[in-house]
Amino acid sequence: MIFIGGISQGEKILNYTQTVICDICGRYGRYQVIMTYMYFSFFFIPLFKWNKRFYVKMTCCGSVYELDPEVGRDILAGRQVEITRKDLTLCQRGNGSGGSWQDEGGSAAGGQTRRRCSQCGYETEEDFAFCPKCGNKFD
């Protein structure tokens, strides 16, 4: 008798929507919640999962955060929860590929220069006197 089984890694995108202003790029984006896990399959049927970890990927710039496991389990169970900044730990900083806001020379698309807040790091093309995120005066 031949048995076909094995251990593999899986990934599932969870049904969750929350729109926020990104801490990395300063644009509006959505949280995309992803669960990764290991599973054992027998005759190509997954029998059980373990090592579940939850991540949040920003749709605006691609930054990836690790999500608090308790919040992740609530989302997986279908509960209505709001992800707060304290629930997230930055894993990978995004590269801004969510849009062509910056060319290779570092200037914003369209020839405008980008301004960066010295206090919170927020970046903008707009001609603000004060940072819209933290209120600090732009230099």
Side-chain angles (χ1 to χ4, degrees), residues 28-92:
Y28 279 102
R30 286 189 325 273
Y31 288 150
Q32 181 179 38
V33 180
I34 302 165
M35 177 182 69
T36 61
Y37 55 89
M38 298 295 292
Y39 68 93
F40 175 75
S41 62
F42 188 66
F43 285 106
F44 307 105
I45 300 171
L47 296 179
F48 57 91
K49 299 174 185 175
W50 72 94
N51 197 24
K52 292 179 185 174
R53 298 183 78 175
F54 300 91
Y55 297 93
V56 170
K57 183 174 182 180
M58 294 299 301
T59 59
C60 53
C61 65
S63 295
V64 178
Y65 297 87
E66 186 166 4
L67 180 61
D68 182 319
E70 189 69 30
V71 176
R73 284 190 290 271
D74 286 345
I75 293 170
L76 182 62
R79 295 187 191 101
Q80 293 290 350
V81 295
E82 183 173 336
I83 297 174
T84 61
R85 303 232 190 297
K86 70 177 181 69
D87 298 327
L88 302 172
T89 305
L90 183 63
C91 295
Q92 181 179 351

Side-chain angles (χ1 to χ4, degrees), residues 111 117 121:
C117 177

